[in-house]
Amino acid sequence: MVQIFYFEHHGKCCRQILDHVGTPSKVLLFPDESNVTSHQTTHWLLKTLWWNRSKCKIVEVCGKQRRKTKAKVYDNNQGAMCIRGRFKNSSEPDFILTLTSNVSCSDFQTGYTMTGTLERGDSVTGKLRLTHHAMIRRREK
């Protein structure tokens, strides 16, 4: 049975949902059909900091390799959250992860509480492209 909390916060502030899901939140990344890279099966661990609401820690897990970074969080309180950051020593160093709590009925029934997209590239040249679709599952308590 789905908790009433997720029905009440459908399409609302993402921070409240992340606080309810708990930290670290596992962001499942599904590759976009137009993107072909060698690291197709990855997921991110997203940990919000309790003392600073505008920053978060991200750990990229790709097999046994892990990369860590800090990122800036932008929330518009309308159901969308943008996370912007940079991985050092990478071919595509910059990223923007956009999450929304306004999920479709089929995604909600599948168990996802937030969905979004991941764009990677180089922000110096201004070339960011869609690489993955991101989803966060709800935790049944």
Side-chain angles (χ1 to χ4, degrees), residues 121-135:
D122 191 5
S123 65
V124 175
T125 60
K127 294 183 180 178
L128 291 171
R129 59 187 175 90
L130 176 69
T131 58
H132 291 82
H133 297 280
M135 299 188 180

Side-chain angles (χ1 to χ4, degrees), residues 9-119:
H9 289 80
H10 181 75
K12 294 188 180 171
C13 183
C14 291
R15 284 188 197 273
Q16 294 175 352
I17 295 174
L18 280 179
D19 291 341
H20 185 75
V21 168
T23 59
S25 300
K26 186 175 184 179
V27 180
L28 304 173
L29 297 174
F30 300 102
D32 188 45
E33 295 173 356
S34 64
N35 182 38
V36 179
T37 59
S38 60
H39 53 83
Q40 295 291 325
T41 56
T42 62
H43 68 273
W44 284 8
L45 299 175
L46 176 67
K47 183 173 183 180
T48 56
L49 306 175
W50 62 271
W51 66 87
N52 191 348
R53 294 179 55 87
S54 64
K55 301 238 186 233
C56 69
K57 291 182 180 180
I58 294 179
V59 178
E60 182 182 48
V61 180
C62 181
K64 292 186 177 182
Q65 296 177 347
R66 290 178 177 250
R67 293 192 304 171
K68 297 179 184 180
T69 190
K70 293 180 182 173
K72 181 92 170 143
V73 178
Y74 304 96
D75 194 359
N76 68 356
N77 292 325
Q78 303 272 329
M81 174 186 283
C82 291
I83 301 170
R84 178 183 287 255
R86 179 179 188 92
F87 285 110
K88 295 180 182 176
N89 302 327
S90 175
S91 61
E92 297 177 324
D94 300 313
F95 65 87
I96 298 176
L97 176 65
T98 306
L99 294 171
T100 181
S101 61
N102 194 8
V103 298
S104 66
C105 290
S106 61
D107 287 340
F108 190 80
Q109 293 297 326
T110 308
Y112 298 116
T113 185
M114 284 192 281
T115 60
T117 59
L118 173 65
E119 297 178 15

